[in-house]
Amino acid sequence: MRGPVVSGAQFERIQALIRKGIDEGATLVAGGPGRPDGLERGYYVKPIVFARVTNDMTVAREEIFGPVVTILGYDSVDHAVEIANDTECGLAGFVAGPDLEKARAVARRIRAGRVAISDALDFGCLFGGHKKSGNGREWGEFGFHEYLETNDTPYTPEAASSG
């Protein structure tokens, strides 16, 4: 298993964040620094899973944009929402649970550009970030408007023929 990344600079950034996670005390459950075995060329990152992560660790607070998963424990749903919202970023989130209505209620409380529920990804939904993850939306009705030019003057046949 391997994860390709876009450039050497991104590869080095991800490697630095992996080392930082280890240095800050996160438990490395899978993967590790460096390239996957047999891939000496290219920008491939071993998929990483960190456990025992706390929300003050760099790997919990940064948008890594690589195959890195961090696992943070929580005591209650309110605590989970607090952890999810305690970030300068907010590109995407994920809520899983057997009760769809409860999962939706939790998802509505998370300040992220997109929150997937129980492995559902709806391409009809908006996509975009919050906070340092950016503004603007792609997909859905609001994203469609990014590609339109609008004119404040209403169209009339008389105005069209006079130009």
Side-chain angles (χ1 to χ4, degrees), residues 95-107:
V95 175
D99 184 322
L100 183 57
E101 289 310 311
K102 286 182 182 177
R104 285 180 176 152
V106 172

Side-chain angles (χ1 to χ4, degrees), residues 23-145:
D23 292 346
E24 290 180 348
T27 301
L28 189 60
V29 176
R35 289 180 171 84
D37 293 338
L39 293 171
E40 288 73 36
R41 292 179 28 187
Y43 307 118
Y44 295 95
V45 176
K46 295 176 190 174
I48 305 293
V49 178
F50 281 118
R52 299 186 191 278
V53 175
T54 58
N55 215 28
D56 60 336
M57 293 180 178
T58 304
V59 292
R61 304 197 69 76
E62 292 287 324
E63 290 181 319
I64 298 175
F65 294 110
V68 179
V69 173
T70 57
I71 301 172
L72 287 77
Y74 59 92
D75 298 320
S76 66
V77 170
D78 288 339
H79 186 217
V81 171
E82 180 183 327
I83 291 169
N85 290 335
D86 180 28
T87 178
E88 293 180 352
C89 303
L91 185 58
F94 179 80
V95 175
D99 184 322
L100 183 57
E101 289 310 311
K102 286 182 182 177
R104 285 180 176 152
V106 172
R108 282 191 287 273
R109 296 172 58 196
I110 295 176
R111 302 300 302 151
R114 165 178 279 187
V115 181
I117 298 174
S118 296
D119 201 29
L121 185 59
D122 182 353
F123 286 101
C125 290
L126 300 177
F127 177 79
H130 276 285
K131 308 175 203 175
K132 282 189 172 181
S133 294
N135 291 316
R137 296 292 175 261
E138 296 176 6
W139 306 334
E141 181 181 342
F142 289 101
F144 181 71
H145 290 283

